[in-house]
Amino acid sequence: MVKDELLSLVDKGEMLPLMEEFYTIQGEGFHKGTAAYFVRIGGCDVGCHWCDVKESWNANLHPPTAVASIVENAAKYSNTIVVTGGEPLTWNMNPLTNGLKNKGLDIHIETSGAYPLTGEWDWICLSPKKMKLPLAEVYEKANELKMIIYNQNDFKFAEEQASKVSDSCILYLQPEWSKREKMIPEIVDYVMKNPKWKVSLQTHKYLNIP
Ligand code: SF4
């Protein structure tokens, strides 16, 4: 396929820069402990300094992959599919979620919400980042809000973000992994004083699974 043709298919969301896909256990947030097939899409310009998947940022490093092939692989492994990145909403997610829905699968997304919400989702995990705030439409539709706590200032940011989501959105505070020893006691204390929040941990890292 010539380069222009490939780019046009990526533009339409019929091909996506796939970084990796794997079957594992969702470690974080509301669905922690659930077996799920992860589809990690390359491309992100949000620029979190503590990002643990910096290899995902440059979409050009990840081969444009036909959505039909991602769907076929996913359907072999699990009823629960987690689309993550990178920032998956960099791309048009409609063809991917149409394909997954046609197979009757439950589709979750993990997003910073910084780009327009494409695709049809059964669960939206919104994790806002200060450098590029979510769009209004993503706040409205988020099922869970996952705030990463790197330092004390992040509690204030978390409250600002919580004021923008719907009443039914479930609120999580999750320590940034490299700061977990320092921040876990502060998060525990904060949640006991502010019980609208729940604690989320990256349990997959404790389990030594991807
Ligand atoms: S939004 Fe996610 S993928 Fe992008 S830089 Fe931040 S943590 Fe990394």
Side-chain angles (χ1 to χ4, degrees), residues 78-134:
S78 183
N79 289 329
T80 302
I81 313 301
V82 178
V83 179
T84 188
E87 173 44 70
L89 294 181
T90 308
W91 313 101
N92 179 354
M93 288 284 113
N94 292 332
L96 178 61
T97 62
N98 287 345
L100 294 168
K101 267 291 141 215
N102 286 341
K103 297 275 184 190
L105 305 174
D106 259 3
I107 328 169
H108 304 182
I109 184 170
E110 301 191 332
T111 178
S112 68
Y115 289 95
L117 186 61
T118 51
E120 285 289 321
W121 305 98
D122 296 298
W123 192 265
I124 298 176
C125 172
L126 173 62
S127 187
K129 305 299 182 323
K130 287 176 193 158
M131 293 73 70
K132 227 176 171 71
L133 291 170

Side-chain angles (χ1 to χ4, degrees), residues 13 22 48-49 77 86 100 106 147 149 152 162 165 197 199 202-203:
F22 50 94
C48 307
H49 63 93
Y77 285 90
L100 294 168
D106 259 3
M147 299 304 305
I149 304 296
Q152 264 290 333
V165 294
W197 292 98
V199 179
Q202 291 182 293
T203 57

